[in-house]
Amino acid sequence: MVQETHPTMRKTPGTGLEPARSIITILGGSAVAAQLCKRKRMQIWRWTQPKSAGGTDGLVPQKHHTIILAYARNHRLPITAESFLPIEGRGRSRRR
């Protein structure tokens, strides 16, 4: 069972960084994410890796957000725009 919130940037051996790991898991795995985003599985895996290792620090590149959100909506998956934000950025208004 996938939890809806995870501490950002936490890495458990073999799992990857958040929120990318959760989004990939909810989509059905890296093969589904790769096909959906028209990328190779290695590129999807890099989303879950730290920048020091050539990854994106757990962030899904913004150019893929729209297609992932549309797929999630059509398949009734629990992914929203907020799902792409690091935990510390969730639930806060940007207006001050």
Side-chain angles (χ1 to χ4, degrees), residues 20-74:
R21 184 186 68 85
S22 291
I23 291 170
I24 293 166
T25 299
I26 293 168
L27 287 173
S30 60
V32 174
Q35 184 176 22
L36 182 63
C37 296
K38 297 182 176 157
R39 296 288 179 258
K40 294 184 181 194
R41 287 177 69 180
M42 178 60 82
Q43 291 171 300
I44 303 301
W45 173 79
R46 285 187 182 134
W47 298 352
T48 67
Q49 301 305 301
K51 282 190 178 183
S52 62
T56 64
D57 273 344
L59 299 176
V60 175
Q62 189 174 8
K63 64 184 170 184
H64 303 300
H65 292 191
T66 304
I67 190 74
I68 292 171
L69 287 169
Y71 180 86
R73 193 170 35 255
N74 290 337

Side-chain angles (χ1 to χ4, degrees), residues 1 3 8 10-11 13-14 16-17 29 33 58 64 73 77 92-93:
M1 183 171 157
Q3 292 178 321
T8 187
R10 183 176 78 182
K11 183 167 169 70
L17 299 174
H64 303 300
R73 193 170 35 255
L77 299 175
R92 284 195 232 156
S93 173

